[in-house]
Amino acid sequence: MRLTRPMLAATAAAAVLVLAGCGSGGDGDDKAAVPETASGSLEHLAAEVGCKPTIQIDADELRQGSCRKSDADGKFILATFATDRGQREWINGAKDYGGHYLVGRKWVAVGETKTVTAALRKTLGGDIEEGQDHSAHSGH
């Protein structure tokens, strides 16, 4: 299966929307020691945090699965990429839709709250990035 940029952007948007919620998690513990950033396949990264992913996309350029982990306090999407460029394009497109991202080399975990990404970071390492906050724009 070959993915195009519009398909990648749509996939990123769908991942964020699936995980979007009105609630906000805690600030997480960014001061805790962060381990060396993990690497490997989607299944390997998922095993590192103790979940078995439900595969949603299995393509050459992108593999994506969803996980739920009780001590991570919620659901998250885990995606692996064939290239650094593909990963950055996906993240840049997804961040327009909000969300909380834990970013490693050729992988990203998208959490429904900051608490989720902070919990995953304790095992996977990586850098936390935040998407656009659109809460001021909601009319509800």
PDB file of all heavy atoms in Angstrom, residues 108-136:
ATOM      1  N   VAL A 108       6.551   7.907  16.793  1.00  0.00           N
ATOM      2  CA  VAL A 108       5.836   8.902  17.582  1.00  0.00           C
ATOM      3  C   VAL A 108       4.709   8.203  18.329  1.00  0.00           C
ATOM      4  O   VAL A 108       4.113   7.253  17.822  1.00  0.00           O
ATOM      5  CB  VAL A 108       5.295  10.060  16.701  1.00  0.00           C
ATOM      6  CG1 VAL A 108       4.274   9.584  15.702  1.00  0.00           C
ATOM      7  CG2 VAL A 108       4.722  11.178  17.543  1.00  0.00           C
ATOM      8  N   ALA A 109       4.469   8.649  19.553  1.00  0.00           N
ATOM      9  CA  ALA A 109       3.319   8.198  20.331  1.00  0.00           C
ATOM     10  C   ALA A 109       2.439   9.426  20.545  1.00  0.00           C
ATOM     11  O   ALA A 109       2.927  10.476  20.965  1.00  0.00           O
ATOM     12  CB  ALA A 109       3.758   7.613  21.671  1.00  0.00           C
ATOM     13  N   VAL A 110       1.167   9.294  20.223  1.00  0.00           N
ATOM     14  CA  VAL A 110       0.223  10.396  20.370  1.00  0.00           C
ATOM     15  C   VAL A 110      -0.705  10.050  21.520  1.00  0.00           C
ATOM     16  O   VAL A 110      -1.463   9.082  21.451  1.00  0.00           O
ATOM     17  CB  VAL A 110      -0.614  10.604  19.085  1.00  0.00           C
ATOM     18  CG1 VAL A 110      -1.493  11.839  19.226  1.00  0.00           C
ATOM     19  CG2 VAL A 110       0.274  10.695  17.853  1.00  0.00           C
ATOM     20  N   GLY A 111      -0.633  10.831  22.587  1.00  0.00           N
ATOM     21  CA  GLY A 111      -1.444  10.568  23.765  1.00  0.00           C
ATOM     22  C   GLY A 111      -2.664  11.455  23.823  1.00  0.00           C
ATOM     23  O   GLY A 111      -2.666  12.565  23.315  1.00  0.00           O
ATOM     24  N   GLU A 112      -3.711  10.941  24.475  1.00  0.00           N
ATOM     25  CA  GLU A 112      -4.916  11.755  24.610  1.00  0.00           C
ATOM     26  C   GLU A 112      -4.748  12.835  25.676  1.00  0.00           C
ATOM     27  O   GLU A 112      -5.503  13.795  25.696  1.00  0.00           O
ATOM     28  CB  GLU A 112      -6.153  10.904  24.856  1.00  0.00           C
ATOM     29  CG  GLU A 112      -6.102  10.018  26.066  1.00  0.00           C
ATOM     30  CD  GLU A 112      -7.323   9.118  26.170  1.00  0.00           C
ATOM     31  OE1 GLU A 112      -8.181   9.114  25.278  1.00  0.00           O
ATOM     32  OE2 GLU A 112      -7.405   8.411  27.181  1.00  0.00           O
ATOM     33  N   THR A 113      -3.757  12.700  26.550  1.00  0.00           N
ATOM     34  CA  THR A 113      -3.458  13.727  27.561  1.00  0.00           C
ATOM     35  C   THR A 113      -1.947  13.848  27.719  1.00  0.00           C
ATOM     36  O   THR A 113      -1.191  12.964  27.307  1.00  0.00           O
ATOM     37  CB  THR A 113      -4.062  13.373  28.939  1.00  0.00           C
ATOM     38  OG1 THR A 113      -3.392  12.205  29.429  1.00  0.00           O
ATOM     39  CG2 THR A 113      -5.563  13.141  28.871  1.00  0.00           C
ATOM     40  N   LYS A 114      -1.529  14.916  28.383  1.00  0.00           N
ATOM     41  CA  LYS A 114      -0.106  15.091  28.708  1.00  0.00           C
ATOM     42  C   LYS A 114       0.365  13.989  29.650  1.00  0.00           C
ATOM     43  O   LYS A 114       1.511  13.577  29.612  1.00  0.00           O
ATOM     44  CB  LYS A 114       0.115  16.450  29.373  1.00  0.00           C
ATOM     45  CG  LYS A 114      -0.041  17.612  28.451  1.00  0.00           C
ATOM     46  CD  LYS A 114       0.189  18.915  29.204  1.00  0.00           C
ATOM     47  CE  LYS A 114      -0.066  20.104  28.320  1.00  0.00           C
ATOM     48  NZ  LYS A 114       0.143  21.373  29.038  1.00  0.00           N
ATOM     49  N   THR A 115      -0.532  13.518  30.494  1.00  0.00           N
ATOM     50  CA  THR A 115      -0.187  12.460  31.448  1.00  0.00           C
ATOM     51  C   THR A 115       0.239  11.196  30.711  1.00  0.00           C
ATOM     52  O   THR A 115       1.173  10.515  31.122  1.00  0.00           O
ATOM     53  CB  THR A 115      -1.383  12.155  32.367  1.00  0.00           C
ATOM     54  OG1 THR A 115      -1.780  13.366  33.009  1.00  0.00           O
ATOM     55  CG2 THR A 115      -1.038  11.117  33.403  1.00  0.00           C
ATOM     56  N   VAL A 116      -0.439  10.884  29.612  1.00  0.00           N
ATOM     57  CA  VAL A 116      -0.107   9.692  28.831  1.00  0.00           C
ATOM     58  C   VAL A 116       1.302   9.815  28.256  1.00  0.00           C
ATOM     59  O   VAL A 116       2.124   8.902  28.417  1.00  0.00           O
ATOM     60  CB  VAL A 116      -1.139   9.461  27.695  1.00  0.00           C
ATOM     61  CG1 VAL A 116      -0.689   8.335  26.778  1.00  0.00           C
ATOM     62  CG2 VAL A 116      -2.511   9.166  28.266  1.00  0.00           C
ATOM     63  N   THR A 117       1.604  10.939  27.591  1.00  0.00           N
ATOM     64  CA  THR A 117       2.929  11.073  26.985  1.00  0.00           C
ATOM     65  C   THR A 117       4.023  11.113  28.050  1.00  0.00           C
ATOM     66  O   THR A 117       5.101  10.550  27.853  1.00  0.00           O
ATOM     67  CB  THR A 117       3.012  12.310  26.062  1.00  0.00           C
ATOM     68  OG1 THR A 117       2.545  13.456  26.764  1.00  0.00           O
ATOM     69  CG2 THR A 117       2.217  12.104  24.798  1.00  0.00           C
ATOM     70  N   ALA A 118       3.746  11.728  29.194  1.00  0.00           N
ATOM     71  CA  ALA A 118       4.740  11.762  30.278  1.00  0.00           C
ATOM     72  C   ALA A 118       5.012  10.359  30.814  1.00  0.00           C
ATOM     73  O   ALA A 118       6.159  10.001  31.086  1.00  0.00           O
ATOM     74  CB  ALA A 118       4.260  12.683  31.406  1.00  0.00           C
ATOM     75  N   ALA A 119       3.964   9.545  30.958  1.00  0.00           N
ATOM     76  CA  ALA A 119       4.132   8.168  31.439  1.00  0.00           C
ATOM     77  C   ALA A 119       4.917   7.334  30.437  1.00  0.00           C
ATOM     78  O   ALA A 119       5.809   6.563  30.817  1.00  0.00           O
ATOM     79  CB  ALA A 119       2.771   7.530  31.716  1.00  0.00           C
ATOM     80  N   LEU A 120       4.626   7.487  29.146  1.00  0.00           N
ATOM     81  CA  LEU A 120       5.342   6.732  28.120  1.00  0.00           C
ATOM     82  C   LEU A 120       6.800   7.154  28.040  1.00  0.00           C
ATOM     83  O   LEU A 120       7.685   6.329  27.801  1.00  0.00           O
ATOM     84  CB  LEU A 120       4.664   6.931  26.759  1.00  0.00           C
ATOM     85  CG  LEU A 120       3.258   6.350  26.625  1.00  0.00           C
ATOM     86  CD1 LEU A 120       2.627   6.787  25.322  1.00  0.00           C
ATOM     87  CD2 LEU A 120       3.280   4.837  26.741  1.00  0.00           C
ATOM     88  N   ARG A 121       7.051   8.431  28.269  1.00  0.00           N
ATOM     89  CA  ARG A 121       8.417   8.951  28.198  1.00  0.00           C
ATOM     90  C   ARG A 121       9.319   8.311  29.238  1.00  0.00           C
ATOM     91  O   ARG A 121      10.525   8.160  29.029  1.00  0.00           O
ATOM     92  CB  ARG A 121       8.393  10.466  28.379  1.00  0.00           C
ATOM     93  CG  ARG A 121       9.729  11.122  28.127  1.00  0.00           C
ATOM     94  CD  ARG A 121       9.597  12.617  28.220  1.00  0.00           C
ATOM     95  NE  ARG A 121      10.779  13.260  27.697  1.00  0.00           N
ATOM     96  CZ  ARG A 121      11.307  14.351  28.216  1.00  0.00           C
ATOM     97  NH1 ARG A 121      10.729  14.936  29.256  1.00  0.00           N
ATOM     98  NH2 ARG A 121      12.379  14.875  27.697  1.00  0.00           N
ATOM     99  N   LYS A 122       8.771   7.903  30.355  1.00  0.00           N
ATOM    100  CA  LYS A 122       9.567   7.267  31.416  1.00  0.00           C
ATOM    101  C   LYS A 122      10.171   5.948  30.949  1.00  0.00           C
ATOM    102  O   LYS A 122      11.176   5.493  31.481  1.00  0.00           O
ATOM    103  CB  LYS A 122       8.712   7.031  32.660  1.00  0.00           C
ATOM    104  CG  LYS A 122       8.335   8.315  33.365  1.00  0.00           C
ATOM    105  CD  LYS A 122       7.418   8.035  34.527  1.00  0.00           C
ATOM    106  CE  LYS A 122       6.947   9.336  35.173  1.00  0.00           C
ATOM    107  NZ  LYS A 122       5.974   9.096  36.246  1.00  0.00           N
ATOM    108  N   THR A 123       9.544   5.319  29.958  1.00  0.00           N
ATOM    109  CA  THR A 123      10.050   4.059  29.413  1.00  0.00           C
ATOM    110  C   THR A 123      10.737   4.246  28.067  1.00  0.00           C
ATOM    111  O   THR A 123      11.798   3.691  27.821  1.00  0.00           O
ATOM    112  CB  THR A 123       8.898   3.051  29.238  1.00  0.00           C
ATOM    113  OG1 THR A 123       8.252   2.877  30.486  1.00  0.00           O
ATOM    114  CG2 THR A 123       9.401   1.709  28.730  1.00  0.00           C
ATOM    115  N   LEU A 124      10.113   5.030  27.181  1.00  0.00           N
ATOM    116  CA  LEU A 124      10.599   5.150  25.808  1.00  0.00           C
ATOM    117  C   LEU A 124      11.587   6.286  25.582  1.00  0.00           C
ATOM    118  O   LEU A 124      12.227   6.337  24.538  1.00  0.00           O
ATOM    119  CB  LEU A 124       9.413   5.346  24.846  1.00  0.00           C
ATOM    120  CG  LEU A 124       8.413   4.202  24.765  1.00  0.00           C
ATOM    121  CD1 LEU A 124       7.255   4.576  23.848  1.00  0.00           C
ATOM    122  CD2 LEU A 124       9.090   2.920  24.294  1.00  0.00           C
ATOM    123  N   GLY A 125      11.696   7.208  26.548  1.00  0.00           N
ATOM    124  CA  GLY A 125      12.528   8.387  26.313  1.00  0.00           C
ATOM    125  C   GLY A 125      11.844   9.273  25.284  1.00  0.00           C
ATOM    126  O   GLY A 125      10.627   9.270  25.159  1.00  0.00           O
ATOM    127  N   GLY A 126      12.617  10.014  24.524  1.00  0.00           N
ATOM    128  CA  GLY A 126      12.055  10.865  23.483  1.00  0.00           C
ATOM    129  C   GLY A 126      11.772  12.277  23.963  1.00  0.00           C
ATOM    130  O   GLY A 126      12.039  12.634  25.113  1.00  0.00           O
ATOM    131  N   ASP A 127      11.237  13.071  23.061  1.00  0.00           N
ATOM    132  CA  ASP A 127      10.932  14.475  23.322  1.00  0.00           C
ATOM    133  C   ASP A 127       9.436  14.696  23.219  1.00  0.00           C
ATOM    134  O   ASP A 127       8.779  14.155  22.322  1.00  0.00           O
ATOM    135  CB  ASP A 127      11.642  15.379  22.304  1.00  0.00           C
ATOM    136  CG  ASP A 127      13.146  15.272  22.408  1.00  0.00           C
ATOM    137  OD1 ASP A 127      13.668  15.353  23.527  1.00  0.00           O
ATOM    138  OD2 ASP A 127      13.799  15.096  21.358  1.00  0.00           O
ATOM    139  N   ILE A 128       8.916  15.523  24.103  1.00  0.00           N
ATOM    140  CA  ILE A 128       7.489  15.837  24.077  1.00  0.00           C
ATOM    141  C   ILE A 128       7.261  17.083  23.239  1.00  0.00           C
ATOM    142  O   ILE A 128       7.969  18.077  23.381  1.00  0.00           O
ATOM    143  CB  ILE A 128       6.936  16.027  25.506  1.00  0.00           C
ATOM    144  CG1 ILE A 128       6.989  14.682  26.241  1.00  0.00           C
ATOM    145  CG2 ILE A 128       5.525  16.585  25.471  1.00  0.00           C
ATOM    146  CD1 ILE A 128       6.513  14.720  27.667  1.00  0.00           C
ATOM    147  N   GLU A 129       6.290  17.005  22.333  1.00  0.00           N
ATOM    148  CA  GLU A 129       5.874  18.133  21.511  1.00  0.00           C
ATOM    149  C   GLU A 129       4.371  18.284  21.675  1.00  0.00           C
ATOM    150  O   GLU A 129       3.658  17.301  21.869  1.00  0.00           O
ATOM    151  CB  GLU A 129       6.210  17.900  20.034  1.00  0.00           C
ATOM    152  CG  GLU A 129       7.704  17.795  19.770  1.00  0.00           C
ATOM    153  CD  GLU A 129       8.030  17.673  18.292  1.00  0.00           C
ATOM    154  OE1 GLU A 129       7.216  18.101  17.442  1.00  0.00           O
ATOM    155  OE2 GLU A 129       9.105  17.130  17.978  1.00  0.00           O
ATOM    156  N   GLU A 130       3.899  19.507  21.609  1.00  0.00           N
ATOM    157  CA  GLU A 130       2.473  19.788  21.757  1.00  0.00           C
ATOM    158  C   GLU A 130       1.910  20.310  20.441  1.00  0.00           C
ATOM    159  O   GLU A 130       2.558  21.083  19.746  1.00  0.00           O
ATOM    160  CB  GLU A 130       2.231  20.828  22.858  1.00  0.00           C
ATOM    161  CG  GLU A 130       2.678  20.375  24.231  1.00  0.00           C
ATOM    162  CD  GLU A 130       1.860  19.219  24.774  1.00  0.00           C
ATOM    163  OE1 GLU A 130       0.652  19.138  24.502  1.00  0.00           O
ATOM    164  OE2 GLU A 130       2.446  18.383  25.493  1.00  0.00           O
ATOM    165  N   GLY A 131       0.674  19.902  20.141  1.00  0.00           N
ATOM    166  CA  GLY A 131      -0.023  20.411  18.981  1.00  0.00           C
ATOM    167  C   GLY A 131      -0.692  21.735  19.298  1.00  0.00           C
ATOM    168  O   GLY A 131      -0.612  22.249  20.409  1.00  0.00           O
ATOM    169  N   GLN A 132      -1.360  22.289  18.300  1.00  0.00           N
ATOM    170  CA  GLN A 132      -2.089  23.542  18.473  1.00  0.00           C
ATOM    171  C   GLN A 132      -3.198  23.365  19.495  1.00  0.00           C
ATOM    172  O   GLN A 132      -3.897  22.364  19.485  1.00  0.00           O
ATOM    173  CB  GLN A 132      -2.721  23.968  17.141  1.00  0.00           C
ATOM    174  CG  GLN A 132      -1.721  24.278  16.063  1.00  0.00           C
ATOM    175  CD  GLN A 132      -1.047  25.625  16.281  1.00  0.00           C
ATOM    176  OE1 GLN A 132      -1.618  26.527  16.862  1.00  0.00           O
ATOM    177  NE2 GLN A 132       0.178  25.737  15.818  1.00  0.00           N
ATOM    178  N   ASP A 133      -3.379  24.359  20.358  1.00  0.00           N
ATOM    179  CA  ASP A 133      -4.475  24.338  21.331  1.00  0.00           C
ATOM    180  C   ASP A 133      -5.627  25.123  20.732  1.00  0.00           C
ATOM    181  O   ASP A 133      -5.540  26.344  20.562  1.00  0.00           O
ATOM    182  CB  ASP A 133      -4.017  24.954  22.643  1.00  0.00           C
ATOM    183  CG  ASP A 133      -5.123  24.950  23.706  1.00  0.00           C
ATOM    184  OD1 ASP A 133      -6.214  24.423  23.434  1.00  0.00           O
ATOM    185  OD2 ASP A 133      -4.870  25.466  24.795  1.00  0.00           O
ATOM    186  N   HIS A 134      -6.711  24.432  20.402  1.00  0.00           N
ATOM    187  CA  HIS A 134      -7.864  25.074  19.786  1.00  0.00           C
ATOM    188  C   HIS A 134      -9.002  25.271  20.768  1.00  0.00           C
ATOM    189  O   HIS A 134     -10.109  25.609  20.372  1.00  0.00           O
ATOM    190  CB  HIS A 134      -8.360  24.248  18.594  1.00  0.00           C
ATOM    191  CG  HIS A 134      -7.350  24.148  17.483  1.00  0.00           C
ATOM    192  ND1 HIS A 134      -7.029  25.214  16.683  1.00  0.00           N
ATOM    193  CD2 HIS A 134      -6.570  23.129  17.072  1.00  0.00           C
ATOM    194  CE1 HIS A 134      -6.106  24.843  15.799  1.00  0.00           C
ATOM    195  NE2 HIS A 134      -5.805  23.581  16.029  1.00  0.00           N
ATOM    196  N   SER A 135      -8.744  25.082  22.050  1.00  0.00           N
ATOM    197  CA  SER A 135      -9.837  25.158  23.030  1.00  0.00           C
ATOM    198  C   SER A 135     -10.457  26.553  23.080  1.00  0.00           C
ATOM    199  O   SER A 135     -11.640  26.680  23.366  1.00  0.00           O
ATOM    200  CB  SER A 135      -9.343  24.749  24.424  1.00  0.00           C
ATOM    201  OG  SER A 135      -8.334  25.631  24.864  1.00  0.00           O
ATOM    202  N   ALA A 136      -9.686  27.594  22.800  1.00  0.00           N
ATOM    203  CA  ALA A 136     -10.239  28.954  22.828  1.00  0.00           C
ATOM    204  C   ALA A 136     -11.189  29.185  21.665  1.00  0.00           C
ATOM    205  O   ALA A 136     -11.994  30.111  21.696  1.00  0.00           O
ATOM    206  CB  ALA A 136      -9.107  29.967  22.778  1.00  0.00           C
TER     207      ALA A 136
END
